[in-house]
Amino acid sequence: MKHALACGALLLMTIAFAGCGDSSSTTLLAKGQTPPFPGAYYLEDEAACPPPQCFEASIPVPESVSITDSRVRIIVPADYGQSGRAWPVLYLLHDAPGDFRSWTERGQAHATLKDLPVIAVMPDGGGGAPGWYSDWEDGSFQWQSYHMEVLLPYVEQHLQVAGEGARAIAGPSMGGYGAMHYSASYPGRFKAAAGFSGAVDFLHLDRASALYAFLAGITGVTPGPAIWGDPVTNYARWQQQDPGTRVEQLLGTRIFLTSGNGLPGGPHDNLPAGAPEYAIEPFLLLMNQSFANTLTAAGVPVETLFYGPGYHNWPYYRDGFAWALPGLLRAMDIE
């Protein structure tokens, strides 16, 4: 029975993760204005990231860190630079196989945040390939080191940020995993973290769920052998990477979780019956329910929205973001 469950989960996860996200390209053109960030540029004819509030930049990367794309999109408040105010920062991580453009092009981040007193930072996490917000076991990439030890301090050095106590982080799917993983790996760095159908607890069935996630990862859709290694011989690494195993490190961080159940009938039912985006969501729901229960038992404040029918893609991620955003802002003392 366990073997059948694992094989079925493998098939569904492999199909579904491969079909989610977006890696569409945008022509990048400089405008005559200068954004308030070193080396940044505005985009010509990019409605999803309009100047002067939204711009792109490339982050300098040391030789010791290997990634595929150092570009980042940043949204600043409408009155940024007009006073000496320091602003809270919301880090938005993308899904797989998305990239640094996903939150503006698919998540409507500018339209949602343009009138709010918060800076949004949207880094790349794989350049269209799933990097899993990790320093890879085989040494190929160092996404965690890049984001937390290179990008975050560089961004906050060059923007007017409030710093400690005024950060939050959020993301959908793979980005939801990243938000919880980074929050657990750097206790206290983020006041709040949100995951929208996030892969937040790969070990919710202990070694069984680790194994089918690993097998799906061989096809590139979940953390495979190059990323975390084999969970049979390298199980300690999977535990180290799994947020559900490290909930005590989230004490003091307010958590927000959303997920559907993968059944049709939700408000965004615009996919054909049997679409892979429906198939993945039940497994994400199990992860999120398990994670929420573990958080509650550990005394970590968690709020959940398990909304029933719905599939695994941006229409529901956006709904989850709209639900969690007021709580994220409150955690950063923004009313």
Side-chain angles (χ1 to χ4, degrees):
M1 181 65 181
K2 289 184 178 179
H3 178 73
L5 173 63
C7 291
L10 163 63
L11 176 61
L12 292 173
M13 292 179 76
T14 301
I15 294 172
F17 269 109
C20 299
D22 179 66
S23 57
S24 60
S25 60
T26 301
T27 302
L28 307 181
L29 300 173
K31 293 179 73 70
Q33 306 171 53
T34 302
F37 193 82
Y41 47 87
Y42 291 122
L43 303 176
E44 184 84 22
D45 300 324
E46 173 54 276
C49 184
Q53 283 185 258
C54 187
F55 52 86
E56 281 186 10
S58 291
I59 306 300
V61 181
E63 292 184 0
S64 60
V65 173
S66 177
I67 59 169
T68 56
D69 199 328
S70 68
R71 285 176 292 175
V72 59
R73 284 190 175 180
I74 297 173
I75 300 170
V76 296
D79 55 346
Y80 181 88
Q82 298 176 18
S83 69
R85 175 172 178 177
W87 304 89
V89 185
L90 174 61
Y91 290 86
L92 296 175
L93 307 180
H94 63 75
D95 59 340
D99 60 26
F100 69 98
R101 295 167 286 222
S102 295
W103 265 103
T104 50
E105 293 184 354
R106 306 201 69 194
Q108 301 175 359
H110 176 262
T112 302
L113 300 173
K114 63 184 177 68
D115 296 323
L116 297 176
V118 63
I119 296 171
V121 177
M122 296 156 283
D124 198 87
W132 282 103
Y133 301 102
S134 302
D135 289 355
W136 285 28
E137 184 72 11
D138 71 355
S140 297
F141 302 105
Q142 293 79 41
W143 288 108
Q144 178 176 327
S145 294
Y146 164 63
H147 288 135
M148 293 293 98
E149 306 300 334
V150 177
L151 180 141
L152 185 149
Y154 185 85
V155 164
E156 298 195 0
Q157 178 186 355
H158 292 96
L159 290 174
Q160 298 171 355
V161 303
E164 298 302 324
R167 294 189 200 97
I169 189 168
S173 193
M174 181 182 77
Y177 164 78
M180 301 305 152
H181 171 54
Y182 286 169
S183 297
S185 298
Y186 299 83
R189 180 167 290 188
F190 301 99
K191 293 295 291 183
F196 317 119
S197 298
V200 294
D201 190 358
F202 279 104
L203 306 187
H204 64 285
L205 296 177
D206 197 57
R207 294 176 186 269
S209 53
L211 183 59
Y212 70 65
F214 169 76
L215 294 173
I218 293 175
T219 65
V221 297
T222 55
I227 303 178
W228 296 346
D230 186 329
V232 175
T233 60
N234 208 25
Y235 190 63
R237 175 69 192 276
W238 281 71
Q239 291 177 308
Q240 181 187 41
Q241 297 292 133
D242 184 57
T245 310
R246 299 176 293 149
V247 294
E248 70 283 351
Q249 294 172 235
L250 291 167
L251 287 167
T253 303
R254 183 165 293 278
I255 305 297
F256 300 88
L257 304 172
T258 73
S259 182
N261 61 20
L263 294 175
H268 306 292
D269 260 8
N270 54 0
L271 297 178
E277 288 87 348
Y278 286 109
I280 187 63
E281 197 66 15
F283 296 99
L284 277 304
L285 178 60
L286 288 176
M287 285 193 190
N288 279 272
Q289 290 173 329
S290 172
F291 188 49
N293 291 337
T294 306
L295 288 167
T296 299
V300 178
V302 56
E303 297 181 40
T304 62
L305 176 64
F306 299 144
Y307 47 82
Y311 56 80
H312 191 72
N313 218 316
W314 277 97
Y316 290 97
Y317 304 162
R318 291 193 296 267
D319 286 354
F321 183 47
W323 169 79
L325 184 56
L328 295 170
L329 297 177
R330 284 194 300 273
M332 295 187 286
D333 294 325
I334 304 173
E335 295 298 335

